[in-house]
Amino acid sequence: MKKIQRVSRFFKWVFQIIFYILPITYIIFWINAPTPVFSTYGFILSFIPQGNMIVSTMLPTDTKLLAFVIGLIPLAVNLFILYFLVRLFRGFEKSEIFSKRNVGHIKWLGYTILIGQLLQPLYQALMSAALTWHNLPGTRVIEISFTGTNVGLVLTALLIILISWIMAEGQKLQEEQEYTV
Amino acid sequence: MTIVVNVDVMLARRKIRSKELAEAVGITEQNLSILKTGKAKAIRFSTLDAICKYLDCQPGDVLEYLDEERL
């Protein structure tokens, strides 16, 4: 149990740090967009989805603002995922394995990933339209894609939801044992 | 379906404290409290045996069935 607590504490802190850094990095990115963050250090972090669209190297402020707002969709999804991960590992750290709270966190983690992937085509369409709006005619695009990565994440989300059902059964068994005198 | 645990009644009749019964039966006071407040989901035969032995009673004196639909 001590090993689980130790490892859980580590992951709780990792996810908590990412939770705070992610929105800050997001804001920094859009101030300098479309230049990736930390590119001068050889580390590329971009919040523009990969695609075939041509993005101008000098984005107007209104475009940046619009893209910033659109980008809040996946950012919110990622922050929710990190929030549930922090709460989950906080529970594991307190030796709460089969608790109702943890089961809820796992379930909502799965649903959040699923919702994020289902929103992906909409987000991509809006972002590609926003970033290419000021382009020359013939280079303005609306991109929609659903790749193997998206399918993989949808399957992962469904597996996580299934695991939460199994954990719920485990929670009932533990509760029964706890209340057996 | 409701099984009511009447340990409190038997404790009062025998003039025994909960702590004394818990120690005699070999369960914690917390577990006895779970039993008394109706939160228990199951009781072991060994526990029921120890309670009846100490309180000098029958299982029917400690456990009662109440049909909620009829109430």
Side-chain angles (χ1 to χ4, degrees), chain A residues 171-181, chain B residues 41-42:
Chain A
Q171 186 268 321
K172 283 178 197 167
L173 286 170
Q174 176 163 324
E175 194 179 75
E176 221 170 279
Q177 207 204 356
E178 203 178 314
Y179 288 101
T180 294
V181 178
Chain B
K41 295 208 180 285

Side-chain angles (χ1 to χ4, degrees), chain B residues 1-7 9 58-67 71:
Chain B
M1 188 269 290
T2 305
I3 299 287
V4 177
V5 180
N6 294 321
V7 169
V9 173
Q58 291 294 315
D61 297 324
V62 177
L63 302 173
E64 185 186 351
Y65 169 72
L66 284 176
D67 191 344
L71 282 175

Side-chain angles (χ1 to χ4, degrees), chain A residues 142-178:
Chain A
I142 291 179
E143 275 190 356
I144 297 175
S145 66
F146 205 76
T147 65
T149 306
N150 299 117
V151 172
L153 282 169
V154 166
L155 288 173
T156 303
L158 293 173
L159 272 170
I160 291 171
I161 292 165
L162 176 64
I163 287 167
S164 76
W165 291 349
I166 295 165
M167 293 281 284
E169 290 303 311
Q171 186 268 321
K172 283 178 197 167
L173 286 170
Q174 176 163 324
E175 194 179 75
E176 221 170 279
Q177 207 204 356
E178 203 178 314

Side-chain angles (χ1 to χ4, degrees), chain B residues 41-60:
Chain B
K41 295 208 180 285
I43 183 168
R44 295 187 182 91
F45 279 135
S46 55
T47 306
L48 185 59
D49 177 71
I51 289 172
C52 290
K53 190 175 267 183
Y54 194 76
L55 295 177
D56 187 28
C57 64
Q58 291 294 315

